[in-house]
Amino acid sequence: MDQLEVTTKETKSPWGAPVLAPAPCSLADVMSEQLARQLHEEGNTFPEIPDTDLDLTCNPEGDTSSDLILAQMLQMEFDREFDTQLRREERKFNGDSKVSISFENYRMVHPYEDSDSSEDEVDWQDTRHDPYRPDKPTTTPKKGFVGKGKNITTKHDEDVCGRKNTARMDNFAPEVQVGDGIGMDLKLSNHVYNALKRHCHTEQRRSARLHEKKEHSTAEQAVDPRTRLLMYKMVNAGILESINGCISTGKESVVFHANGGSFEEKIVPEECVLKVFKTTLNEFKNRDKYIKDDYRFKDRFSKLNPRKIIRLWAEKEMHNLTRIKKAGIPCPEVVILKKHILVMSFIGKDHVPAPKIKDAILSSEDMKKAYYQVLNMMQRLYQDCNLVHADLSEYNMLWHDGQVWFIDVSQSIEPTHPHGLEFLFRDCRNVATFFQKAGVTEALNVFELFNTVSGLQITSDNEADFLAQIEALEKRNEDHVQKPSKKIFMDTSEDSPPQLNTDDD
């Protein structure tokens, strides 16, 4: 065969422009010396290698004839989407947790810089080979020792155990500040490490108890979630327009100011107060003597758990205020009761509460006027309302519009209480002491004030003898206590303020 013809079919590349097949040539041309020389010269020169460091993020619509570059572009675009999805999964998994988990080990690391990532995304710094990270202490092998002869070191070596204990401190709770013990080459003995571990566990349990207590109890100037829900329900029901803020705090309650709304065709005062009884039990541990012997609540008191007793306190103040209001004695007007929240009228004006009588700046005439008002109110409270305030002092009397107002009557009891006269004597002592120090010369002493209010005739100038006669009267089942008719001042469901449904917790 003189001539060998090599024929190739023209093929079209699916990756770009078609590649033209070389022109056919004869065997003689291939074997000629000139062609051999040309091939030899071309073989001595280095062929141009296509640049593989091209911009792989170029326009994907552009054509390319290199399968390698196109495959790399597709792979890197896939990895880019994978890393983006991994970022989303990590943010969703961690959420707002203080301790976050990184998906760094699952990402695809590439030499290019992702220009599409924003500054607020996760920092993908590779910390697996961080040169500044302290090295973990080397552990002994499974056989339990290293070295030979005199240089043998077991796993019980003091330095080895100390360094291992220091490294274990990283497993403590995040709120425990352990410092850089590894960097300082700190060596903790087993005794110290165990003591620190027990302390951390104790603190964790204590903080958990405190957190739960705060969540389920009314704090000093804040309310627990259940109380907040009750307050929101009052606003949503239209009983209150808004709740403005805290007015004062006491031993047993927190008082908030609110703007009134309407309730079942009943006009709610424009300005109201919410008296939220504290749900912490320590405030009521020593105050059960005011309610357990009160015949109105005696039966219910013995059947309630300590937390429900707090609701009983709010109910007791509501009934006492209703009885006092019927007698015409100046006091807040009850609007509604919801569990341990009592809504009353506001004593003050334009969001400014009326001052306590101890803080009010009164002239001598006004102070004298206030004394006679208090004397008259104490007599009417005892004789008409059949109540003893049991905590009357300059702290529980307000001065507003030239008039004294009684507040805080949750502990008020009836004179038939086993300690009713003793509480009345204490009230008289507080009132007499305050007005005598205020310069009211007409103020009666404690013994005269007690006899004037109670109507009793106990003759003694010695406080010990006076109290002994009071206790004797109490032991004789209050034979000398005046008992007016109760038909007028009995609490009925028709005149009592409405109560919301308290069955739901």
Side-chain angles (χ1 to χ4, degrees), residues 160-339:
V160 174
C161 289
R163 293 190 179 97
K164 288 171 63 177
N165 291 336
T166 302
R168 289 195 189 104
M169 287 198 304
D170 292 340
N171 298 327
F172 288 170
E175 59 268 15
V176 180
Q177 305 294 335
V178 296
D180 185 16
I182 299 177
M184 296 185 298
D185 195 21
L186 183 65
K187 305 178 185 66
L188 288 180
S189 64
N190 293 336
H191 176 72
V192 174
Y193 171 77
N194 292 332
L196 289 175
K197 186 177 179 180
R198 287 193 299 269
H199 174 73
C200 291
H201 290 171
T202 303
E203 286 297 312
Q204 280 185 287
R205 291 194 297 268
R206 187 181 69 87
S207 61
R209 288 195 301 268
L210 291 177
H211 178 72
E212 182 178 359
K213 183 179 180 181
K214 289 181 180 179
E215 285 294 320
H216 294 84
S217 63
T218 306
E220 186 65 22
Q221 290 188 4
V223 292
D224 60 300
R226 290 188 178 182
T227 305
R228 283 197 299 268
L229 182 60
L230 294 177
M231 296 167 69
Y232 293 153
K233 285 183 177 180
M234 290 184 181
V235 176
N236 293 335
I239 302 173
L240 303 175
E241 289 291 338
S242 61
I243 300 175
N244 301 318
C246 179
I247 296 177
S248 64
T249 59
K251 295 175 293 185
E252 61 187 27
S253 63
V254 183
V255 181
F256 294 90
H257 182 274
N259 295 328
S262 61
F263 177 68
E264 294 181 356
E265 299 180 356
K266 179 179 180 180
I267 299 176
V268 180
E270 184 178 353
E271 292 187 89
C272 302
V273 293
L274 278 75
K275 187 170 183 179
V276 181
F277 286 82
K278 293 183 179 179
T279 54
T280 47
L281 298 179
N282 56 344
E283 304 291 346
F284 294 87
K285 285 181 180 178
N286 300 323
R287 299 178 69 82
D288 57 348
K289 59 184 178 181
Y290 293 97
I291 195 171
K292 70 178 181 179
D293 294 322
D294 194 329
Y295 78 92
R296 297 174 296 173
F297 306 96
K298 185 175 182 179
D299 296 336
R300 296 171 57 191
F301 179 84
S302 59
K303 299 177 183 178
L304 295 178
N305 59 49
R307 292 192 178 275
K308 290 188 178 180
I309 293 176
I310 299 169
R311 302 180 185 178
L312 203 60
W313 273 94
E315 183 181 346
K316 183 179 179 182
E317 177 154 10
M318 181 199 69
H319 289 301
N320 290 339
L321 285 174
T322 303
R323 183 182 294 189
I324 295 172
K325 195 68 177 179
K326 288 179 181 178
I329 299 175
C331 68
E333 181 180 359
V334 178
V335 177
I336 196 172
L337 172 67
K338 174 63 176 176
K339 293 186 179 179

Side-chain angles (χ1 to χ4, degrees), residues 85-91 93-94 101-107 124:
Q85 180 64 23
L86 197 62
R87 291 190 186 98
R88 297 194 192 100
E89 293 293 336
E90 181 179 4
R91 284 196 295 266
F93 182 82
N94 292 324
I101 297 178
S102 175
F103 293 173
E104 177 185 344
N105 294 336
Y106 301 99
R107 70 183 179 92
W124 288 95

Side-chain angles (χ1 to χ4, degrees), residues 134-184:
D135 296 332
K136 293 289 184 180
T138 56
T139 58
T140 54
K142 293 183 179 180
K143 59 184 179 180
F145 64 93
V146 293
K148 295 181 179 180
K150 296 181 179 180
N151 298 326
I152 189 172
T153 302
T154 66
K155 62 180 180 181
H156 302 291
D157 183 73
E158 184 178 359
D159 293 343
V160 174
C161 289
R163 293 190 179 97
K164 288 171 63 177
N165 291 336
T166 302
R168 289 195 189 104
M169 287 198 304
D170 292 340
N171 298 327
F172 288 170
E175 59 268 15
V176 180
Q177 305 294 335
V178 296
D180 185 16
I182 299 177
M184 296 185 298

